[in-house]
Amino acid sequence: LGGCLADDMGLGKTIQVLALLAALKSAGNTRPALLVLPASLLGNWRAEIGRFAPSLRTMFVHSSETPKDRLAQWAQDAHAAVRGVDLVLTTYGMLLRQTWFFDIAWRTVILDEAQAIKNPAARQTKAVKRLKADARIALTGTPVENRLSDLWSLFDFLSPGLLGSQNRFKKFVKSLEGRQENRYAPLRSLVQPYILRRLKTDKRVIADLPDKTEVRAYCGLGKRQAALYAKLVKELAESLEGLDRMKRRGLVLAYLMRFKQLCNHPSQLLGDGQFQPEESGKFLRLAEICEEIASRQEKTLVFTQFREMAEPLSDFLAGVFGRPGLVLHGGTAVGKRKQLVDRFQRDDGPPHFVLSL
């Protein structure tokens, strides 16, 4: 039976997994475990293993950690390569490129940031579910990220069949939505034994953690933004006329993306590369917030959904803080990512860090 470790971020999911692997090793287990994770976390796991479980013999299967000739050598004789290894670490992307992972009968398969398999139709989800293992563990602080189908896909990996087929699960959820009270109680009862979850808000877990402070900062649109917004709304209304349901849905989703881009900055929508701060209400509001942070000589992290916004935001913040900052997105070399984080966390490190989600 598979298990989902769903503790809030920062409560030690990594350490708990390392403790399990160390316990298996001390009990005489000789078969390797496989850990699949996002490339950005390779450096973090390496550091945590060195600190908390240095006795584990590890093997990193990724181009940022291993020369290409060695990767090719391992692929030639996978069973010999993993012999004597306690833990093999790789990424969701490498799983699609190194087919020998599917030839090994793993003791345990562990997924970090397991929301990566929330889409059952995705190639990496299908690949993960082909892995052979005695036990399966998923690590995710968000077992349900957007919709209940995320949970079905996660459990289709952990305990295939527990939630039935995808179609049967949809019918089950639909029946729950018609209940008058305790709507999702039957589903909660079904999955609860398989989910271990602790929250940072639980003082029994961590007593000295300050309460999370969340402040929404509202801002208006700039003049150009407002004019373009009205134009897009009119375009959408006219385009929706006469379309069937599926085409209408697709068009609305496409325009939602355009509205998001416009609300960031007109230049993101138009692609003109200008990014004049005064044309975006968000940029002006961000400047007000960061000027206060800069005056206290504190640091800030800025997250954006869009990779193309990372550099313009960083350039803008360099003017606000009077110093350049750092940028990390999907195109940043994996080996460089931990260096950027380490630089930012130094006391004399850069004052701002822009990261693309």
Side-chain angles (χ1 to χ4, degrees), residues 242-277:
L243 293 181
D244 62 34
R245 186 181 173 191
M246 286 307 295
K247 287 183 179 177
R248 285 169 66 91
R249 183 177 293 181
L251 190 64
V252 168
L253 286 173
Y255 267 82
L256 280 174
M257 184 64 72
R258 298 180 74 185
F259 285 127
K260 282 185 180 181
Q261 293 171 327
L262 174 59
C263 288
N264 278 341
H265 199 290
S267 291
Q268 187 188 359
L269 175 68
L270 301 173
D272 60 19
Q274 298 299 310
F275 291 99
Q276 298 297 330

PDB file of all heavy atoms in Angstrom, residues 242-277:
ATOM      1  N   GLY A 242     -21.901  32.784 -31.473  1.00  0.00           N
ATOM      2  CA  GLY A 242     -22.049  31.724 -32.469  1.00  0.00           C
ATOM      3  C   GLY A 242     -21.140  30.531 -32.302  1.00  0.00           C
ATOM      4  O   GLY A 242     -21.197  29.592 -33.101  1.00  0.00           O
ATOM      5  N   LEU A 243     -20.287  30.510 -31.252  1.00  0.00           N
ATOM      6  CA  LEU A 243     -19.387  29.365 -31.059  1.00  0.00           C
ATOM      7  C   LEU A 243     -20.061  28.303 -30.208  1.00  0.00           C
ATOM      8  O   LEU A 243     -20.876  28.614 -29.331  1.00  0.00           O
ATOM      9  CB  LEU A 243     -18.087  29.813 -30.370  1.00  0.00           C
ATOM     10  CG  LEU A 243     -17.156  30.739 -31.150  1.00  0.00           C
ATOM     11  CD1 LEU A 243     -15.925  31.054 -30.303  1.00  0.00           C
ATOM     12  CD2 LEU A 243     -16.729  30.114 -32.469  1.00  0.00           C
ATOM     13  N   ASP A 244     -19.696  27.030 -30.437  1.00  0.00           N
ATOM     14  CA  ASP A 244     -20.247  25.969 -29.591  1.00  0.00           C
ATOM     15  C   ASP A 244     -19.502  25.955 -28.254  1.00  0.00           C
ATOM     16  O   ASP A 244     -18.535  26.685 -28.046  1.00  0.00           O
ATOM     17  CB  ASP A 244     -20.157  24.601 -30.289  1.00  0.00           C
ATOM     18  CG  ASP A 244     -18.721  24.166 -30.576  1.00  0.00           C
ATOM     19  OD1 ASP A 244     -17.824  24.482 -29.766  1.00  0.00           O
ATOM     20  OD2 ASP A 244     -18.489  23.519 -31.607  1.00  0.00           O
ATOM     21  N   ARG A 245     -19.950  25.076 -27.340  1.00  0.00           N
ATOM     22  CA  ARG A 245     -19.476  25.118 -25.956  1.00  0.00           C
ATOM     23  C   ARG A 245     -17.966  24.922 -25.825  1.00  0.00           C
ATOM     24  O   ARG A 245     -17.292  25.658 -25.108  1.00  0.00           O
ATOM     25  CB  ARG A 245     -20.203  24.039 -25.145  1.00  0.00           C
ATOM     26  CG  ARG A 245     -19.893  24.089 -23.674  1.00  0.00           C
ATOM     27  CD  ARG A 245     -20.621  22.984 -22.923  1.00  0.00           C
ATOM     28  NE  ARG A 245     -20.198  22.935 -21.529  1.00  0.00           N
ATOM     29  CZ  ARG A 245     -20.501  21.950 -20.708  1.00  0.00           C
ATOM     30  NH1 ARG A 245     -21.216  20.931 -21.124  1.00  0.00           N
ATOM     31  NH2 ARG A 245     -20.090  21.966 -19.451  1.00  0.00           N
ATOM     32  N   MET A 246     -17.412  23.912 -26.532  1.00  0.00           N
ATOM     33  CA  MET A 246     -15.980  23.625 -26.395  1.00  0.00           C
ATOM     34  C   MET A 246     -15.123  24.752 -26.961  1.00  0.00           C
ATOM     35  O   MET A 246     -14.102  25.126 -26.386  1.00  0.00           O
ATOM     36  CB  MET A 246     -15.641  22.289 -27.070  1.00  0.00           C
ATOM     37  CG  MET A 246     -16.107  21.068 -26.301  1.00  0.00           C
ATOM     38  SD  MET A 246     -15.529  21.065 -24.577  1.00  0.00           S
ATOM     39  CE  MET A 246     -13.762  20.933 -24.801  1.00  0.00           C
ATOM     40  N   LYS A 247     -15.546  25.299 -28.105  1.00  0.00           N
ATOM     41  CA  LYS A 247     -14.778  26.391 -28.709  1.00  0.00           C
ATOM     42  C   LYS A 247     -14.846  27.648 -27.839  1.00  0.00           C
ATOM     43  O   LYS A 247     -13.874  28.400 -27.722  1.00  0.00           O
ATOM     44  CB  LYS A 247     -15.282  26.683 -30.115  1.00  0.00           C
ATOM     45  CG  LYS A 247     -14.884  25.608 -31.122  1.00  0.00           C
ATOM     46  CD  LYS A 247     -15.328  25.966 -32.527  1.00  0.00           C
ATOM     47  CE  LYS A 247     -14.888  24.887 -33.531  1.00  0.00           C
ATOM     48  NZ  LYS A 247     -15.368  25.176 -34.898  1.00  0.00           N
ATOM     49  N   ARG A 248     -16.031  27.870 -27.233  1.00  0.00           N
ATOM     50  CA  ARG A 248     -16.166  29.014 -26.328  1.00  0.00           C
ATOM     51  C   ARG A 248     -15.205  28.865 -25.140  1.00  0.00           C
ATOM     52  O   ARG A 248     -14.518  29.806 -24.751  1.00  0.00           O
ATOM     53  CB  ARG A 248     -17.602  29.100 -25.792  1.00  0.00           C
ATOM     54  CG  ARG A 248     -18.621  29.609 -26.791  1.00  0.00           C
ATOM     55  CD  ARG A 248     -20.042  29.407 -26.277  1.00  0.00           C
ATOM     56  NE  ARG A 248     -20.296  30.236 -25.094  1.00  0.00           N
ATOM     57  CZ  ARG A 248     -20.792  31.465 -25.139  1.00  0.00           C
ATOM     58  NH1 ARG A 248     -21.077  32.026 -26.310  1.00  0.00           N
ATOM     59  NH2 ARG A 248     -21.012  32.147 -24.045  1.00  0.00           N
ATOM     60  N   ARG A 249     -15.151  27.643 -24.594  1.00  0.00           N
ATOM     61  CA  ARG A 249     -14.278  27.396 -23.437  1.00  0.00           C
ATOM     62  C   ARG A 249     -12.809  27.636 -23.804  1.00  0.00           C
ATOM     63  O   ARG A 249     -12.056  28.264 -23.055  1.00  0.00           O
ATOM     64  CB  ARG A 249     -14.486  25.957 -22.945  1.00  0.00           C
ATOM     65  CG  ARG A 249     -13.685  25.608 -21.709  1.00  0.00           C
ATOM     66  CD  ARG A 249     -13.982  24.194 -21.235  1.00  0.00           C
ATOM     67  NE  ARG A 249     -15.346  24.063 -20.743  1.00  0.00           N
ATOM     68  CZ  ARG A 249     -15.843  22.932 -20.258  1.00  0.00           C
ATOM     69  NH1 ARG A 249     -15.085  21.845 -20.218  1.00  0.00           N
ATOM     70  NH2 ARG A 249     -17.071  22.889 -19.816  1.00  0.00           N
ATOM     71  N   GLY A 250     -12.396  27.127 -24.957  1.00  0.00           N
ATOM     72  CA  GLY A 250     -11.015  27.316 -25.403  1.00  0.00           C
ATOM     73  C   GLY A 250     -10.673  28.777 -25.606  1.00  0.00           C
ATOM     74  O   GLY A 250      -9.578  29.229 -25.245  1.00  0.00           O
ATOM     75  N   LEU A 251     -11.625  29.529 -26.176  1.00  0.00           N
ATOM     76  CA  LEU A 251     -11.387  30.949 -26.422  1.00  0.00           C
ATOM     77  C   LEU A 251     -11.282  31.728 -25.113  1.00  0.00           C
ATOM     78  O   LEU A 251     -10.407  32.592 -24.952  1.00  0.00           O
ATOM     79  CB  LEU A 251     -12.522  31.526 -27.286  1.00  0.00           C
ATOM     80  CG  LEU A 251     -12.298  32.944 -27.830  1.00  0.00           C
ATOM     81  CD1 LEU A 251     -11.114  32.971 -28.788  1.00  0.00           C
ATOM     82  CD2 LEU A 251     -13.551  33.455 -28.526  1.00  0.00           C
ATOM     83  N   VAL A 252     -12.155  31.410 -24.154  1.00  0.00           N
ATOM     84  CA  VAL A 252     -12.106  32.079 -22.850  1.00  0.00           C
ATOM     85  C   VAL A 252     -10.768  31.818 -22.152  1.00  0.00           C
ATOM     86  O   VAL A 252     -10.147  32.735 -21.608  1.00  0.00           O
ATOM     87  CB  VAL A 252     -13.280  31.614 -21.955  1.00  0.00           C
ATOM     88  CG1 VAL A 252     -13.073  32.068 -20.508  1.00  0.00           C
ATOM     89  CG2 VAL A 252     -14.600  32.155 -22.488  1.00  0.00           C
ATOM     90  N   LEU A 253     -10.285  30.563 -22.197  1.00  0.00           N
ATOM     91  CA  LEU A 253      -8.993  30.241 -21.573  1.00  0.00           C
ATOM     92  C   LEU A 253      -7.856  31.015 -22.231  1.00  0.00           C
ATOM     93  O   LEU A 253      -6.948  31.506 -21.549  1.00  0.00           O
ATOM     94  CB  LEU A 253      -8.726  28.728 -21.663  1.00  0.00           C
ATOM     95  CG  LEU A 253      -9.551  27.843 -20.724  1.00  0.00           C
ATOM     96  CD1 LEU A 253      -9.317  26.375 -21.040  1.00  0.00           C
ATOM     97  CD2 LEU A 253      -9.201  28.122 -19.264  1.00  0.00           C
ATOM     98  N   ALA A 254      -7.905  31.120 -23.551  1.00  0.00           N
ATOM     99  CA  ALA A 254      -6.861  31.861 -24.276  1.00  0.00           C
ATOM    100  C   ALA A 254      -6.863  33.337 -23.874  1.00  0.00           C
ATOM    101  O   ALA A 254      -5.801  33.942 -23.657  1.00  0.00           O
ATOM    102  CB  ALA A 254      -7.075  31.723 -25.775  1.00  0.00           C
ATOM    103  N   TYR A 255      -8.050  33.909 -23.728  1.00  0.00           N
ATOM    104  CA  TYR A 255      -8.130  35.325 -23.356  1.00  0.00           C
ATOM    105  C   TYR A 255      -7.769  35.545 -21.891  1.00  0.00           C
ATOM    106  O   TYR A 255      -7.217  36.600 -21.545  1.00  0.00           O
ATOM    107  CB  TYR A 255      -9.534  35.875 -23.661  1.00  0.00           C
ATOM    108  CG  TYR A 255      -9.610  36.506 -25.039  1.00  0.00           C
ATOM    109  CD1 TYR A 255      -9.794  35.733 -26.176  1.00  0.00           C
ATOM    110  CD2 TYR A 255      -9.466  37.884 -25.199  1.00  0.00           C
ATOM    111  CE1 TYR A 255      -9.847  36.298 -27.439  1.00  0.00           C
ATOM    112  CE2 TYR A 255      -9.513  38.471 -26.460  1.00  0.00           C
ATOM    113  CZ  TYR A 255      -9.706  37.673 -27.576  1.00  0.00           C
ATOM    114  OH  TYR A 255      -9.747  38.251 -28.822  1.00  0.00           O
ATOM    115  N   LEU A 256      -8.069  34.566 -21.027  1.00  0.00           N
ATOM    116  CA  LEU A 256      -7.645  34.698 -19.631  1.00  0.00           C
ATOM    117  C   LEU A 256      -6.130  34.852 -19.545  1.00  0.00           C
ATOM    118  O   LEU A 256      -5.617  35.641 -18.746  1.00  0.00           O
ATOM    119  CB  LEU A 256      -8.094  33.478 -18.818  1.00  0.00           C
ATOM    120  CG  LEU A 256      -9.548  33.465 -18.351  1.00  0.00           C
ATOM    121  CD1 LEU A 256      -9.872  32.137 -17.686  1.00  0.00           C
ATOM    122  CD2 LEU A 256      -9.811  34.612 -17.376  1.00  0.00           C
ATOM    123  N   MET A 257      -5.420  34.076 -20.353  1.00  0.00           N
ATOM    124  CA  MET A 257      -3.956  34.186 -20.381  1.00  0.00           C
ATOM    125  C   MET A 257      -3.531  35.575 -20.847  1.00  0.00           C
ATOM    126  O   MET A 257      -2.616  36.186 -20.287  1.00  0.00           O
ATOM    127  CB  MET A 257      -3.374  33.110 -21.300  1.00  0.00           C
ATOM    128  CG  MET A 257      -1.853  33.073 -21.317  1.00  0.00           C
ATOM    129  SD  MET A 257      -1.159  32.632 -19.708  1.00  0.00           S
ATOM    130  CE  MET A 257      -1.568  30.896 -19.634  1.00  0.00           C
ATOM    131  N   ARG A 258      -4.224  36.113 -21.853  1.00  0.00           N
ATOM    132  CA  ARG A 258      -3.882  37.446 -22.365  1.00  0.00           C
ATOM    133  C   ARG A 258      -4.174  38.524 -21.321  1.00  0.00           C
ATOM    134  O   ARG A 258      -3.422  39.490 -21.180  1.00  0.00           O
ATOM    135  CB  ARG A 258      -4.663  37.713 -23.657  1.00  0.00           C
ATOM    136  CG  ARG A 258      -4.327  36.722 -24.773  1.00  0.00           C
ATOM    137  CD  ARG A 258      -5.104  37.009 -26.039  1.00  0.00           C
ATOM    138  NE  ARG A 258      -4.574  38.188 -26.715  1.00  0.00           N
ATOM    139  CZ  ARG A 258      -5.128  38.725 -27.799  1.00  0.00           C
ATOM    140  NH1 ARG A 258      -6.219  38.189 -28.321  1.00  0.00           N
ATOM    141  NH2 ARG A 258      -4.598  39.790 -28.357  1.00  0.00           N
ATOM    142  N   PHE A 259      -5.281  38.359 -20.582  1.00  0.00           N
ATOM    143  CA  PHE A 259      -5.588  39.320 -19.515  1.00  0.00           C
ATOM    144  C   PHE A 259      -4.507  39.297 -18.433  1.00  0.00           C
ATOM    145  O   PHE A 259      -4.109  40.338 -17.909  1.00  0.00           O
ATOM    146  CB  PHE A 259      -6.953  39.008 -18.889  1.00  0.00           C
ATOM    147  CG  PHE A 259      -8.128  39.410 -19.739  1.00  0.00           C
ATOM    148  CD1 PHE A 259      -9.121  38.496 -20.057  1.00  0.00           C
ATOM    149  CD2 PHE A 259      -8.244  40.708 -20.218  1.00  0.00           C
ATOM    150  CE1 PHE A 259     -10.208  38.866 -20.840  1.00  0.00           C
ATOM    151  CE2 PHE A 259      -9.328  41.092 -20.999  1.00  0.00           C
ATOM    152  CZ  PHE A 259     -10.316  40.167 -21.314  1.00  0.00           C
ATOM    153  N   LYS A 260      -4.027  38.089 -18.087  1.00  0.00           N
ATOM    154  CA  LYS A 260      -2.952  37.981 -17.095  1.00  0.00           C
ATOM    155  C   LYS A 260      -1.703  38.732 -17.571  1.00  0.00           C
ATOM    156  O   LYS A 260      -1.060  39.455 -16.802  1.00  0.00           O
ATOM    157  CB  LYS A 260      -2.581  36.508 -16.875  1.00  0.00           C
ATOM    158  CG  LYS A 260      -3.528  35.721 -16.000  1.00  0.00           C
ATOM    159  CD  LYS A 260      -2.947  34.326 -15.800  1.00  0.00           C
ATOM    160  CE  LYS A 260      -3.822  33.456 -14.922  1.00  0.00           C
ATOM    161  NZ  LYS A 260      -3.225  32.126 -14.724  1.00  0.00           N
ATOM    162  N   GLN A 261      -1.354  38.510 -18.826  1.00  0.00           N
ATOM    163  CA  GLN A 261      -0.172  39.177 -19.382  1.00  0.00           C
ATOM    164  C   GLN A 261      -0.332  40.689 -19.361  1.00  0.00           C
ATOM    165  O   GLN A 261       0.580  41.424 -18.972  1.00  0.00           O
ATOM    166  CB  GLN A 261       0.070  38.684 -20.813  1.00  0.00           C
ATOM    167  CG  GLN A 261       0.466  37.222 -20.902  1.00  0.00           C
ATOM    168  CD  GLN A 261       0.490  36.723 -22.332  1.00  0.00           C
ATOM    169  OE1 GLN A 261      -0.297  37.161 -23.172  1.00  0.00           O
ATOM    170  NE2 GLN A 261       1.380  35.787 -22.617  1.00  0.00           N
ATOM    171  N   LEU A 262      -1.510  41.161 -19.763  1.00  0.00           N
ATOM    172  CA  LEU A 262      -1.770  42.602 -19.783  1.00  0.00           C
ATOM    173  C   LEU A 262      -1.702  43.196 -18.389  1.00  0.00           C
ATOM    174  O   LEU A 262      -1.153  44.284 -18.193  1.00  0.00           O
ATOM    175  CB  LEU A 262      -3.142  42.871 -20.416  1.00  0.00           C
ATOM    176  CG  LEU A 262      -3.618  44.331 -20.382  1.00  0.00           C
ATOM    177  CD1 LEU A 262      -2.635  45.240 -21.114  1.00  0.00           C
ATOM    178  CD2 LEU A 262      -5.004  44.454 -21.001  1.00  0.00           C
ATOM    179  N   CYS A 263      -2.267  42.488 -17.399  1.00  0.00           N
ATOM    180  CA  CYS A 263      -2.250  43.006 -16.029  1.00  0.00           C
ATOM    181  C   CYS A 263      -0.840  43.053 -15.450  1.00  0.00           C
ATOM    182  O   CYS A 263      -0.563  43.841 -14.545  1.00  0.00           O
ATOM    183  CB  CYS A 263      -3.168  42.170 -15.140  1.00  0.00           C
ATOM    184  SG  CYS A 263      -4.921  42.445 -15.473  1.00  0.00           S
ATOM    185  N   ASN A 264       0.052  42.219 -15.946  1.00  0.00           N
ATOM    186  CA  ASN A 264       1.466  42.342 -15.558  1.00  0.00           C
ATOM    187  C   ASN A 264       2.055  43.607 -16.159  1.00  0.00           C
ATOM    188  O   ASN A 264       2.594  44.454 -15.456  1.00  0.00           O
ATOM    189  CB  ASN A 264       2.265  41.119 -16.027  1.00  0.00           C
ATOM    190  CG  ASN A 264       2.142  39.942 -15.102  1.00  0.00           C
ATOM    191  OD1 ASN A 264       1.764  40.087 -13.948  1.00  0.00           O
ATOM    192  ND2 ASN A 264       2.452  38.771 -15.602  1.00  0.00           N
ATOM    193  N   HIS A 265       1.972  43.694 -17.483  1.00  0.00           N
ATOM    194  CA  HIS A 265       2.506  44.864 -18.194  1.00  0.00           C
ATOM    195  C   HIS A 265       2.052  44.794 -19.654  1.00  0.00           C
ATOM    196  O   HIS A 265       2.084  43.704 -20.250  1.00  0.00           O
ATOM    197  CB  HIS A 265       4.039  44.886 -18.135  1.00  0.00           C
ATOM    198  CG  HIS A 265       4.624  46.239 -18.432  1.00  0.00           C
ATOM    199  ND1 HIS A 265       4.586  46.791 -19.697  1.00  0.00           N
ATOM    200  CD2 HIS A 265       5.242  47.152 -17.638  1.00  0.00           C
ATOM    201  CE1 HIS A 265       5.162  47.986 -19.672  1.00  0.00           C
ATOM    202  NE2 HIS A 265       5.564  48.226 -18.424  1.00  0.00           N
ATOM    203  N   PRO A 266       1.636  45.918 -20.242  1.00  0.00           N
ATOM    204  CA  PRO A 266       1.257  45.895 -21.664  1.00  0.00           C
ATOM    205  C   PRO A 266       2.333  45.318 -22.571  1.00  0.00           C
ATOM    206  O   PRO A 266       2.030  44.664 -23.568  1.00  0.00           O
ATOM    207  CB  PRO A 266       1.003  47.376 -21.983  1.00  0.00           C
ATOM    208  CG  PRO A 266       0.667  48.008 -20.681  1.00  0.00           C
ATOM    209  CD  PRO A 266       1.458  47.249 -19.650  1.00  0.00           C
ATOM    210  N   SER A 267       3.595  45.529 -22.213  1.00  0.00           N
ATOM    211  CA  SER A 267       4.690  45.049 -23.065  1.00  0.00           C
ATOM    212  C   SER A 267       4.762  43.527 -23.100  1.00  0.00           C
ATOM    213  O   SER A 267       5.236  42.955 -24.080  1.00  0.00           O
ATOM    214  CB  SER A 267       6.033  45.618 -22.582  1.00  0.00           C
ATOM    215  OG  SER A 267       6.095  47.005 -22.819  1.00  0.00           O
ATOM    216  N   GLN A 268       4.293  42.875 -22.049  1.00  0.00           N
ATOM    217  CA  GLN A 268       4.283  41.411 -22.085  1.00  0.00           C
ATOM    218  C   GLN A 268       3.256  40.916 -23.090  1.00  0.00           C
ATOM    219  O   GLN A 268       3.500  39.969 -23.835  1.00  0.00           O
ATOM    220  CB  GLN A 268       3.977  40.825 -20.709  1.00  0.00           C
ATOM    221  CG  GLN A 268       4.133  39.296 -20.708  1.00  0.00           C
ATOM    222  CD  GLN A 268       3.679  38.620 -19.442  1.00  0.00           C
ATOM    223  OE1 GLN A 268       3.241  39.275 -18.499  1.00  0.00           O
ATOM    224  NE2 GLN A 268       3.763  37.312 -19.412  1.00  0.00           N
ATOM    225  N   LEU A 269       2.101  41.558 -23.121  1.00  0.00           N
ATOM    226  CA  LEU A 269       1.061  41.179 -24.077  1.00  0.00           C
ATOM    227  C   LEU A 269       1.479  41.505 -25.504  1.00  0.00           C
ATOM    228  O   LEU A 269       1.321  40.688 -26.415  1.00  0.00           O
ATOM    229  CB  LEU A 269      -0.247  41.904 -23.739  1.00  0.00           C
ATOM    230  CG  LEU A 269      -1.397  41.691 -24.719  1.00  0.00           C
ATOM    231  CD1 LEU A 269      -1.896  40.253 -24.656  1.00  0.00           C
ATOM    232  CD2 LEU A 269      -2.538  42.663 -24.429  1.00  0.00           C
ATOM    233  N   LEU A 270       2.048  42.694 -25.707  1.00  0.00           N
ATOM    234  CA  LEU A 270       2.366  43.172 -27.061  1.00  0.00           C
ATOM    235  C   LEU A 270       3.714  42.670 -27.562  1.00  0.00           C
ATOM    236  O   LEU A 270       3.974  42.686 -28.764  1.00  0.00           O
ATOM    237  CB  LEU A 270       2.338  44.710 -27.088  1.00  0.00           C
ATOM    238  CG  LEU A 270       0.997  45.344 -26.676  1.00  0.00           C
ATOM    239  CD1 LEU A 270       1.140  46.854 -26.573  1.00  0.00           C
ATOM    240  CD2 LEU A 270      -0.091  44.970 -27.677  1.00  0.00           C
ATOM    241  N   GLY A 271       4.589  42.264 -26.621  1.00  0.00           N
ATOM    242  CA  GLY A 271       5.905  41.758 -27.018  1.00  0.00           C
ATOM    243  C   GLY A 271       6.823  42.815 -27.579  1.00  0.00           C
ATOM    244  O   GLY A 271       7.692  42.522 -28.401  1.00  0.00           O
ATOM    245  N   ASP A 272       6.659  44.084 -27.141  1.00  0.00           N
ATOM    246  CA  ASP A 272       7.490  45.159 -27.703  1.00  0.00           C
ATOM    247  C   ASP A 272       8.796  45.379 -26.938  1.00  0.00           C
ATOM    248  O   ASP A 272       9.642  46.175 -27.349  1.00  0.00           O
ATOM    249  CB  ASP A 272       6.692  46.473 -27.772  1.00  0.00           C
ATOM    250  CG  ASP A 272       6.207  46.948 -26.394  1.00  0.00           C
ATOM    251  OD1 ASP A 272       6.755  46.492 -25.373  1.00  0.00           O
ATOM    252  OD2 ASP A 272       5.274  47.774 -26.341  1.00  0.00           O
ATOM    253  N   GLY A 273       8.955  44.695 -25.798  1.00  0.00           N
ATOM    254  CA  GLY A 273      10.224  44.767 -25.063  1.00  0.00           C
ATOM    255  C   GLY A 273      10.467  46.060 -24.316  1.00  0.00           C
ATOM    256  O   GLY A 273      11.560  46.255 -23.772  1.00  0.00           O
ATOM    257  N   GLN A 274       9.495  46.945 -24.222  1.00  0.00           N
ATOM    258  CA  GLN A 274       9.721  48.268 -23.623  1.00  0.00           C
ATOM    259  C   GLN A 274       9.688  48.233 -22.089  1.00  0.00           C
ATOM    260  O   GLN A 274      10.591  48.706 -21.426  1.00  0.00           O
ATOM    261  CB  GLN A 274       8.665  49.261 -24.135  1.00  0.00           C
ATOM    262  CG  GLN A 274       8.720  49.484 -25.640  1.00  0.00           C
ATOM    263  CD  GLN A 274      10.052  50.070 -26.082  1.00  0.00           C
ATOM    264  OE1 GLN A 274      10.530  51.066 -25.529  1.00  0.00           O
ATOM    265  NE2 GLN A 274      10.670  49.437 -27.075  1.00  0.00           N
ATOM    266  N   PHE A 275       8.615  47.726 -21.527  1.00  0.00           N
ATOM    267  CA  PHE A 275       8.446  47.584 -20.080  1.00  0.00           C
ATOM    268  C   PHE A 275       8.706  48.889 -19.316  1.00  0.00           C
ATOM    269  O   PHE A 275       9.476  48.929 -18.361  1.00  0.00           O
ATOM    270  CB  PHE A 275       9.329  46.464 -19.528  1.00  0.00           C
ATOM    271  CG  PHE A 275       8.889  45.092 -19.957  1.00  0.00           C
ATOM    272  CD1 PHE A 275       9.504  44.439 -21.019  1.00  0.00           C
ATOM    273  CD2 PHE A 275       7.823  44.455 -19.319  1.00  0.00           C
ATOM    274  CE1 PHE A 275       9.082  43.178 -21.437  1.00  0.00           C
ATOM    275  CE2 PHE A 275       7.393  43.197 -19.721  1.00  0.00           C
ATOM    276  CZ  PHE A 275       8.019  42.556 -20.775  1.00  0.00           C
ATOM    277  N   GLN A 276       8.067  49.966 -19.769  1.00  0.00           N
ATOM    278  CA  GLN A 276       8.146  51.227 -19.031  1.00  0.00           C
ATOM    279  C   GLN A 276       7.347  51.092 -17.739  1.00  0.00           C
ATOM    280  O   GLN A 276       6.159  50.772 -17.767  1.00  0.00           O
ATOM    281  CB  GLN A 276       7.568  52.375 -19.880  1.00  0.00           C
ATOM    282  CG  GLN A 276       8.308  52.630 -21.188  1.00  0.00           C
ATOM    283  CD  GLN A 276       9.742  53.066 -20.959  1.00  0.00           C
ATOM    284  OE1 GLN A 276      10.054  53.690 -19.943  1.00  0.00           O
ATOM    285  NE2 GLN A 276      10.630  52.727 -21.889  1.00  0.00           N
ATOM    286  N   PRO A 277       7.967  51.336 -16.564  1.00  0.00           N
ATOM    287  CA  PRO A 277       7.288  51.101 -15.279  1.00  0.00           C
ATOM    288  C   PRO A 277       5.963  51.845 -15.144  1.00  0.00           C
ATOM    289  O   PRO A 277       4.999  51.302 -14.596  1.00  0.00           O
ATOM    290  CB  PRO A 277       8.306  51.597 -14.247  1.00  0.00           C
ATOM    291  CG  PRO A 277       9.631  51.469 -14.928  1.00  0.00           C
ATOM    292  CD  PRO A 277       9.377  51.759 -16.369  1.00  0.00           C
TER     293      PRO A 277
END
